[in-house]
Amino acid sequence: MYAKSGAPFMALCILAGTPPMAHATSDDSYVFRIGKFEATDTTPPPKHTGVALGLGFERRQDSGLRYGIEVTAHFSDYATPGTVYGGPFTVIDDTMTLTTVGVAGTLAQAYATAAVDLYAGGSAGLYYANMRAHGSTLGFPGTHDERDTGLGVSLFAGLEFPVTRESHLGLEVRRLFLEADFGPLSNGEMAIGGTSVLLSYRSKFAGKAAP
């Protein structure tokens, strides 16, 4: 499994090496995201709109630079390939379930306006994916799992507006570039990334981080 395009990954590596401003102050916050996930149209094809979740920890500089770490999860359904065969007494369900969990470093730049903060950036990290097929043999239910792990890249942009002095609500659009090989459940390598539309809630940790 690897990033679909090398250019976004190289750009993130270059930006990650840029040190924060020497005299900038900063604050730390956590952000929770939830929304819908539209998987990349592949073979086998996605069947339904999925769900995306995220939890991140981020340091924000006065310059607008943001960097941190996040854990994300995506849940989606795919059509079971017709080539999947479980034996003469086994019935295979026509829907497989995919769960993808990743840990990634993030880097973004924010621009403050009178009403909202606008930001754009990206992330790169390690993702674990599990494709599960469901079926039954002589009436007894069972599952078959295929797994893959590798690197993925996300690009994102969004906006946030203040709710209280310490918290913000926001809307984010994110594109995940990711591929995996699930053997007989995917007939080779397939794209498992896609586009997420997410609602976000951000809150500062107590206290002020040291400059």
Side-chain angles (χ1 to χ4, degrees):
M1 191 189 327
Y2 54 86
K4 189 174 182 180
S5 171
F9 181 75
M10 292 178 64
L12 287 172
C13 290
I14 294 171
L15 288 173
T18 304
M21 295 177 61
H23 300 290
T25 58
S26 62
D27 61 64
D28 296 334
S29 61
Y30 69 88
V31 56
F32 174 74
R33 300 180 179 94
I34 184 170
K36 68 175 185 176
F37 175 68
E38 295 289 348
T40 302
D41 191 6
T42 62
T43 301
K47 296 190 69 174
H48 310 289
T49 298
V51 175
L53 299 172
L55 178 63
F57 299 90
E58 192 172 78
R59 174 160 290 184
R60 302 191 297 171
Q61 301 288 338
D62 286 349
S63 63
L65 182 68
R66 302 180 176 187
Y67 54 95
I69 189 169
E70 65 180 8
V71 178
T72 60
H74 300 83
F75 308 92
S76 50
D77 293 335
Y78 285 82
T80 304
T83 54
V84 175
Y85 178 68
F89 303 106
T90 300
V91 177
I92 305 297
D93 193 86
D94 62 0
T95 299
M96 304 182 299
T97 56
L98 174 63
T99 302
T100 305
V101 178
V103 178
T106 64
L107 186 66
Q109 180 67 41
Y111 305 90
T113 71
V116 299
D117 288 347
L118 306 175
Y119 64 90
S123 67
L126 186 66
Y127 291 80
Y128 166 83
N130 184 88
M131 184 75 85
R132 171 169 292 182
H134 305 264
S136 62
T137 301
L138 296 176
F140 295 97
T143 60
H144 176 76
D145 294 85
E146 295 284 347
R147 304 173 179 88
D148 200 0
T149 304
L151 296 176
V153 170
S154 287
L155 299 177
F156 55 81
L159 57 85
E160 295 177 334
F161 59 91
V163 178
T164 69
R165 185 174 179 179
E166 303 295 329
S167 62
H168 291 70
L169 289 177
L171 180 67
E172 181 177 294
V173 178
R174 178 179 291 236
R175 175 71 175 180
L176 172 64
F177 299 89
L178 192 61
E179 296 187 359
D181 187 341
F182 298 116
L185 298 186
S186 63
N187 293 325
E189 196 167 74
M190 62 179 287
I192 60 171
T195 302
S196 301
V197 179
L198 303 159
L199 296 175
S200 65
Y201 173 78
R202 177 187 301 278
S203 180
K204 293 182 182 180
F205 288 111
K208 187 79 170 180

